[in-house]
């Protein structure tokens, strides 16, 4: 994992990082040469001097607080699981709105509804009519590429695009705008910035990282914190127009084995510090008020329980003066813990647990642990003091309810024209030109331009995950009133210049165009959902490639605009197109792409390409160790690559051998395209467990007890038709050769999604079941759900993993991740079984007891 440490270091290290490497004490011993200190962790100068008046105020308040009130400050609940009335009773320190948590449970709730909810929780926290102290609640939210949870907000490119822009000062302005739009809707805390340094692009959160390079990440971390919070020492610091930041995820989130989300980062401490800690010194030096613990383990130990790193390194050596918050139920993954019981996480150095839906149980067990001495009074008081210190620095005690604050309710700030202009600039600067054969770009706007591909007129797709909901799926055009799709941006400029742009997603046309712009790429995803088995782009689905080739065969020049959250192996698409642009996930301002692709009406260049790769582009779909400075570094396009219009953009044909063997299983996909996933078999079994493994179709069990045949859904025989005769109980099951651990997915509220078609509704009871070894199983009744579905139509039916766990499944060791069981007549066709987000289900099976 060795890198070239001298690589453009001077250009990337911010002043904040240089300051951060100075010892926090002013004596000569602290300034000793670095080589004399064998501790790999840097010493950091916390920028806020001790404030005796503030500390006395905190001491005085804590002297009046009950044990229950102190413990409450350590707990954060999600708005989907806590009410203002609950807050009056339990006096929690914070609430959050998780990715799928919204006022009224509606992702498209209006800004006014968010502000009303923020007021209600604030007023509950300050209400002493039932006893308790008036301690204002902190409201946190994932405003990670703008206030991206709110209809109409300015949506900036995701961090991977901003990394390609190489413009730290632009990040400062983005932070300022994000803070304003967040404050307008009532929150005062964003869970940003992400300073991960992704090392394996199969990771589904790669796009949340600025770069594979620690230097680039370090150059952005401090200025982004200053943009969100204001600059320490200035009147703007933590004023009513700024929010508190949460630098995350500490530590090693981008280095897990095989890019597995929440996995294990196996690495030496020196390399952990050099690579994955790069963003923290400048963020701390900028006064970041919170840091978020990471889900992952480091060398086998979960970070939520890692005292040497949370306490000794972060708070001690690096002198972090804010508080440490957990991630969504992350404490539940610590050895010996559950989501509702984990003294170990507080003892390790976590100050506030994100006990999203487990807050009540966590509060009760933490209170009991303090009373029993498992958590010392000293540790409790340290955590409470850190939290109260941040609230007082923020002026929260005097702020009044959110709607009465500096910009509370100023909804004109949301998606304001000047905010959108900054986002549009960010789009322009993030675009990376990989190929420009024959100088086809820039295009004349006076031409007849065909804009094709499923990303051409889809703002949700260009915005990606963490947009209005967790995974960014299920949105429509009306959800983005302050946005331009990529097609709309091209059409506006073409029309103004006397040309014409025509939209045809499928690429079909009545009048032959002069040129085609094909916009395609990854569909939205976030954590869990985004993990990949390889870096192949949509394996088994060549629709985008075929579209490009068809247009080329018609003699039409093609400009490919690729939307993605990471570099992927797209050699065939690059070869087929005349020009190829990596546009990442640009957000709301699709017109920023037209700003660069199109000339001015007078024929001059409007804007040149500025973007440079912040992640190396793979030569094959299995080139995972592909970071600049690594041994045998040999990418297709190197870190820092990016053409301009002055460059010769011709590219020789690239190899079209992906390197994929077919043995790589897609994460969380158990059945797709007519086949069980890697290491999984499709089984037919009778009531005694005897049966047959399906290796061909048609296949049958015990004559006609249960038969399976091929059926078409999206492709020829990509599904299986399952017909029960009703002559006895029979099961169709996916049997895994090894136990599957889906605890993290269960914690993340994922579902087991079955894409199916009811051909003949069940006559009698039917169950969806999972198995977890001998004597371990769980099942939920699926017949009532199937009976409501229209016969002959494909639908996605979901069962929350938490329901299966509640029904008795050990989701840490599933060996049978899916099965259907009935003794009655039933015919169902199935084309896909996979884990998915809550909002992907078109029908949800009721949990037992609901």
């Amino acid at each position: 994992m060795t890198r070239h440490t001298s690589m453009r270091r001077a250009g990337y290290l911010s002043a904040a990082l240089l300051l951060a490497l100075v010892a926090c004490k002013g004596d000569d011993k602290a300034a000793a040469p670095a080589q004399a200190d064998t501790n790999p962790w840097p010493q950091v100068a916390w920028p806020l001097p001790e404030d005796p008046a503030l500390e006395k105020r905190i001491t005085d308040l804590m002297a009046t607080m009950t044990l229950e009130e102190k413990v409450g400050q350590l707990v954060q609940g999600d708005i989907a699981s806590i009410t203002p009335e609950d807050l009056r009773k339990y006096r929690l320190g914070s609430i959050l709105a998780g990715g799928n948590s919204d006022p009224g449970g509606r992702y498209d709730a209006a800004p006014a509804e968010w502000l009303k909810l923020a007021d209600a929780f604030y007023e509950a926290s300050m209400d002493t009519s039932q006893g308790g102290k008036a301690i204002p609640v902190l409201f946190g939210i994932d405003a990670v590429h703008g206030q991206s949870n709110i209809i109409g907000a300015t949506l900036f490119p995701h961090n991977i695009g901003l990394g390609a822009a190489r413009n730290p000062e632009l990040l400062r302005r983005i932070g300022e705008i994000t803070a304003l739009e967040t404050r307008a809707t009532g929150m005062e805390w964003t869970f940003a910035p992400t300073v991960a340094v992704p090392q394996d692009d199969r990771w589904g959160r790669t796009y949340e990282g600025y770069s594979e390079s620690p230097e680039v990440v370090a150059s952005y971390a401090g200025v982004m914190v200053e943009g969100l919070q204001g600059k320490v020492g200035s009147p703007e610091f933590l004023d009513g127009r700024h929010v508190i930041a949460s630098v995350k995820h500490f530590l090693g989130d981008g280095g897990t084995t095989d890019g597995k989300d929440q996995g294990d980062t196996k690495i030496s401490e020196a390399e952990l510090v050099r690579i994955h800690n790069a963003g923290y010194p400048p963020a701390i030096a900028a006064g970041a008020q919170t840091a978020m613990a990471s889900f992952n383990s480091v060398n086998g130990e979960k970070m939520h329980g890692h005292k040497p790193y949370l306490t000794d390194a972060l708070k001690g050596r690096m002198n972090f003066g804010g508080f440490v918050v957990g991630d969504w139920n992350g404490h539940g993954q610590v050895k010996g813990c559950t989501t509702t019981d984990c003294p170990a996480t507080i003892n390790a150095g976590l100050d506030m647990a994100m006990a999203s839906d487990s807050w009540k149980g966590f509060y009760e067990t933490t209170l009991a642990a303090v009373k029993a001495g498992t958590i010392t009074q000293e540790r409790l008081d340290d955590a409470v003091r850190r939290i109260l210190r941040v609230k007082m620095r923020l002026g929260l005690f005097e702020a009044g309810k959110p709607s009465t604050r500096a910009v509370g309710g100023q909804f004109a700030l949301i998606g304001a024209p000047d905010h959108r202009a900054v986002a549009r600039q960010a789009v322009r600067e993030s675009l990376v030109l990989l190929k420009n054969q024959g100088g086809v770009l820039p295009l004349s706007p006076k031409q007849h331009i065909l804009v094709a591909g499923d990303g051409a007129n889809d703002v949700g797709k260009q915005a990606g995950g963490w947009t209005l909901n967790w995974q960014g799926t299920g949105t429509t055009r009306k959800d983005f009133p302050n946005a331009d799709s990529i097609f709309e941006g091209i059409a506006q400029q073409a029309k103004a210049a006397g040309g014409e742009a025509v939209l045809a997603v499928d690429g079909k046309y009545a009048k032959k165009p002069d040129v085609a712009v094909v916009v395609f790429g990854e569909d939205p995803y976030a954590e869990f959902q985004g993990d990949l088995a390889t870096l192949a782009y949509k394996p088994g689905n060549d629709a985008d490639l075929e579209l490009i080739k068809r247009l080329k065969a018609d003699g039409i020049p093609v400009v490919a605009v690729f939307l993605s959250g990471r570099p992927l192996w797209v050699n065939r698409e690059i070869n087929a197109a005349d020009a190829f642009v990596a546009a990442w996930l640009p957000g709301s301002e699709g017109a920023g792409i037209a700003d660069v692709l199109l000339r001015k009406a007078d024929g001059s260049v409007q804007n040149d390409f500025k973007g440079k790769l912040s992640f190396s582009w793979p030569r094959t779909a299995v080139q995972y160790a592909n970071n600049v400075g690594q041994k045998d570094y040999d990418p297709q396009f190197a870190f820092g690559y990016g053409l301009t219009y002055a460059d010769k953009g011709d590219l020789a044909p690239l190899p079209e051998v992906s390197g994929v063997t077919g043995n790589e299983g897609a994460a969380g996909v158990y059945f797709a395209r007519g086949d069980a996933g890697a290491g999984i078999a499709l089984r037919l079994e009778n009531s005694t467990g005897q049966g047959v493994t399906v290796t061909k179709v048609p296949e049958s069990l015990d004559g006609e007890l249960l038969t399976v045949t091929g059926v078409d859904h999206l492709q020829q025989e990509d599904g299986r038709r399952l017909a029960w005769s009703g002559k006895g109980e029979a099961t169709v099951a996916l049997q895994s050769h090894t136990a599957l651990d889906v605890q993290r997915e269960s914690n993340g509220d994922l579902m087991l999604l079955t894409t199916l078609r009811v051909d003949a509704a069940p006559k009698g009871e039917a169950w969806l079941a999972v198995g977890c070894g001998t004597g371990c199983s769980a099942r939920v009744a699926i017949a009532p759900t199937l009976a409501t579905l229209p016969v002959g139509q494909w639908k996605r039916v979901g069962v929350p993993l938490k329901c299966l766990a509640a029904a008795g499944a050990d989701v840490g060791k599933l060996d049978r991740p899916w099965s259907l069981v009935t003794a009655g007549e039933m015919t169902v066709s199935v084309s896909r079984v996979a884990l998915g987000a809550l909002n992907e289900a078109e029908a949800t099976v009721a949990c037992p007891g609901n």
Side-chain angles (χ1 to χ4, degrees):
M1 300 288 287
T2 302
R3 291 172 176 270
H4 296 311
T5 56
S6 63
M7 178 196 62
R8 303 188 183 184
R9 185 174 297 273
Y12 294 143
L13 284 178
S14 66
L17 177 58
L18 296 176
L19 288 171
L21 299 180
V22 177
C24 60
K25 305 295 183 183
D27 58 20
D28 291 338
K29 290 181 181 179
Q35 58 266 29
D37 188 348
T38 59
N39 190 327
W41 296 89
Q43 292 180 287
V44 182
W46 178 247
L48 292 163
E50 185 171 335
D51 184 340
L54 176 66
E55 296 305 316
K56 182 180 185 304
R57 185 181 177 191
I58 295 170
T59 299
D60 291 346
L61 174 59
M62 289 179 62
T64 70
M65 293 172 67
T66 66
L67 202 58
E68 289 78 6
E69 288 169 338
K70 287 182 177 180
V71 169
Q73 288 299 303
L74 275 57
V75 185
Q76 182 182 58
D78 183 76
I79 62 170
S81 301
I82 188 171
T83 66
E85 200 55 43
D86 291 328
L87 195 64
R88 282 184 172 86
K89 179 178 179 181
Y90 288 93
R91 322 301 293 185
L92 302 192
S94 178
I95 57 169
L96 80 148
N100 285 331
S101 302
D102 311 277
R106 293 176 18 255
Y107 79 89
D108 57 353
E113 295 176 79
W114 282 97
L115 186 60
K116 181 180 179 181
L117 186 69
D119 276 352
F121 276 109
Y122 172 83
E123 288 172 334
S125 71
M126 302 300 282
D127 183 357
T128 59
S129 63
Q130 300 176 26
K133 306 296 180 301
I135 300 177
V137 68
L138 268 174
F139 194 164
I141 197 164
D142 286 285
V144 294
H145 65 127
Q147 173 50 312
S148 49
N149 308 271
I150 306 297
I151 294 287
T154 307
L155 301 175
F156 296 96
H158 270 293
N159 287 353
I160 190 170
L162 299 179
R166 302 292 207 280
N167 187 343
E169 284 306 309
L170 176 62
L171 267 289
R172 187 190 305 277
R173 184 68 183 124
I174 289 172
E176 292 169 350
I177 292 168
T178 300
L180 278 171
E181 297 197 16
T182 301
R183 280 288 205 163
T185 49
M187 305 89 184
E188 55 273 313
W189 182 9
T190 176
F191 304 133
T194 298
V195 295
V197 187
Q199 299 293 285
D200 188 325
D201 298 345
R202 289 175 291 179
W203 186 37
R205 305 190 77 163
T206 295
Y207 67 81
E208 296 185 53
Y210 297 116
S211 178
E212 69 188 37
S213 159
E215 287 82 3
V216 172
V217 174
S219 75
Y220 276 6
V223 290
M224 187 62 175
V225 168
E226 288 182 348
L228 290 167
Q229 297 189 164
K231 193 173 180 65
V232 173
S234 74
E236 292 77 29
F237 181 63
L238 296 181
D239 68 5
R241 300 170 66 87
H242 291 85
V243 296
I244 60 173
S246 188
V247 58
K248 65 182 189 182
H249 307 85
F250 190 83
L251 185 66
D253 49 349
T256 59
T257 301
D258 298 329
K260 182 180 180 181
D261 192 49
Q262 302 185 18
D264 191 11
T265 299
K266 299 175 182 178
I267 194 171
S268 71
E269 188 172 41
E271 288 293 270
L272 176 72
V273 173
R274 186 179 66 79
I275 297 171
H276 298 288
N277 192 56
Y280 291 91
I284 293 169
Q289 293 297 293
T290 69
M292 183 179 289
S294 188
F295 278 121
N296 64 279
S297 305
V298 174
N299 297 321
E301 185 168 350
K302 283 291 181 181
M303 279 303 307
H304 276 70
H306 208 306
K307 185 176 181 180
Y309 291 167
L310 292 180
T311 297
D312 301 341
L314 179 60
K315 295 177 177 179
R317 177 76 171 187
M318 293 197 291
N319 202 32
F320 173 60
F323 71 82
V324 179
V325 65
D327 208 338
W328 186 281
N329 280 336
H331 55 275
Q333 299 181 20
V334 175
K335 186 177 181 180
C337 289
T338 67
T339 57
T340 55
D341 188 359
C342 192
T345 195
I346 302 299
N347 288 334
L350 200 78
D351 300 306
M352 179 183 286
M354 189 182 286
S356 46
D357 57 354
S358 58
W359 62 268
K360 188 179 294 185
F362 185 86
Y363 166 84
E364 291 169 346
T365 58
T366 303
L367 179 61
V370 174
K371 289 179 177 179
T374 308
I375 298 172
T376 66
Q377 187 69 49
E378 181 184 18
R379 174 68 196 106
L380 174 67
D381 285 349
D382 172 60
V384 173
R385 180 172 290 273
R386 284 174 176 272
I387 293 165
L388 293 178
R389 189 182 287 133
V390 169
K391 290 184 177 185
M392 290 183 183
R393 284 178 186 145
L394 189 61
L396 210 55
F397 283 79
E398 301 77 38
K401 63 183 181 181
S403 62
T404 66
R405 299 174 190 169
V407 296
Q410 293 186 23
F411 300 135
L413 290 170
I414 299 172
D418 59 325
H419 294 181
R420 293 185 61 192
V422 174
R424 188 163 170 170
Q425 174 192 349
V427 174
R428 289 195 297 267
E429 296 188 13
S430 70
L431 303 177
V432 178
L433 181 61
L434 300 182
K435 176 183 179 181
N436 192 20
Q437 208 78 7
V440 64
L441 289 174
L443 304 174
S444 167
K446 297 183 177 182
Q447 299 180 93
H448 179 59
I449 304 170
L450 176 70
V451 186
D454 65 2
N457 199 37
D458 189 337
V459 179
K461 180 159 181 158
Q462 73 191 41
W466 294 108
T467 302
L468 299 185
N469 60 61
W470 179 33
Q471 297 289 326
T473 56
T475 58
T476 65
R477 183 65 184 87
K478 69 178 178 59
D479 296 328
F480 304 98
N482 300 322
D484 286 313
S485 71
I486 295 169
F487 162 70
E488 288 165 349
I490 293 172
Q492 291 161 9
Q493 294 189 28
K495 182 178 180 181
E500 179 186 32
V502 176
L503 175 68
V505 171
D506 61 5
K508 296 179 180 177
Y509 54 86
K511 175 186 175 183
K512 184 177 179 180
D514 297 311
V515 65
V517 177
V518 177
V519 187
F520 66 102
E522 292 188 289
D523 294 322
Y525 58 83
E527 54 195 311
F528 306 134
Q529 291 291 286
D531 286 3
L532 292 177
T534 74
L535 295 177
Y537 169 63
K538 290 187 177 179
N541 183 347
D542 292 339
D544 299 317
L545 177 62
E546 290 167 0
L547 172 58
I548 295 170
K549 286 184 172 181
R550 174 160 51 84
L551 292 167
K552 281 289 292 178
D554 290 347
I556 302 167
V558 174
V559 175
V561 176
F562 186 52
L563 302 175
S564 73
R566 55 196 143 201
L568 291 171
W569 186 77
V570 284
N571 283 14
R572 298 179 303 164
E573 289 82 359
I574 293 173
N575 285 342
D578 295 284
F580 197 94
V581 178
W584 314 114
L585 299 169
S588 59
E589 305 312 308
I593 291 173
D595 290 346
V596 181
L597 297 190
L598 301 184
R599 295 180 181 272
K600 294 180 182 179
D602 65 7
S604 60
V605 172
Q606 185 178 184
N607 292 281
D608 204 345
F609 281 90
K610 291 185 177 181
K612 306 296 179 185
L613 291 180
S614 59
F615 288 83
S616 304
W617 205 277
R619 186 172 292 279
T620 71
V622 294
Q623 188 180 25
Y624 311 132
N626 189 38
N627 301 302
V628 63
Q630 287 182 331
K631 184 180 179 181
D632 301 323
Y633 178 65
D634 184 29
Q636 185 66 68
F637 300 105
F639 172 87
Y641 179 89
L643 298 169
T644 68
Y645 285 138
D647 296 321
K648 182 175 176 58
D650 290 355
L651 188 67
L654 304 176
E656 296 194 358
V657 178
S658 71
V660 174
T661 64
N663 295 321
E664 300 86 356
V669 179
Y670 305 133
F671 182 86
R673 295 188 293 277
D675 235 336
I680 298 175
L682 182 65
R683 291 272 302 165
L684 307 181
E685 296 178 355
N686 60 26
S687 59
T688 67
Q690 300 301 307
V692 60
T693 297
V694 179
T695 58
K696 59 178 177 56
V697 289
E699 185 61 89
S700 62
L701 171 69
D702 296 349
E704 295 182 352
L705 181 62
L706 173 58
T707 61
V708 56
T709 54
V711 67
D712 298 346
H713 179 197
L714 300 177
Q715 296 175 335
Q716 184 176 1
E717 291 203 1
D718 62 344
R720 294 292 178 260
R721 186 173 185 267
L722 308 163
W724 284 260
S725 67
K727 296 179 180 179
E729 183 177 289
T731 299
V732 59
L734 293 170
Q735 183 74 41
S736 177
H737 302 323
T738 58
L740 304 171
D741 183 355
V742 296
Q743 293 179 88
R744 65 190 182 113
E745 289 84 353
S746 178
N747 173 47
D749 284 337
L750 290 195
M751 284 188 151
L752 182 60
L753 284 172
T754 306
T755 303
L756 59 79
R757 183 184 70 195
V758 176
D759 298 315
K763 294 181 179 179
E765 295 181 313
W767 297 271
L768 186 145
V770 296
C772 37
T774 304
C776 178
S777 63
R779 68 182 190 179
V780 294
I782 196 173
T785 303
L786 297 180
T788 66
L789 299 180
V791 173
Q793 293 185 25
W794 289 95
K795 296 290 181 181
R796 289 186 301 276
V797 176
V799 179
L801 290 174
K802 285 184 175 178
C803 292
L804 296 168
D810 183 342
V811 294
K813 57 172 189 177
L814 295 184
D815 59 1
R816 181 165 284 195
W818 177 91
S819 61
L820 284 179
V821 188
T822 186
E825 286 186 61
M826 178 173 77
T827 304
V828 174
S829 295
V830 174
S831 66
R832 183 178 172 87
V833 178
L835 301 182
L838 293 172
N839 58 6
E840 292 183 63
E842 296 170 295
T844 301
V845 176
C847 295
N850 285 1

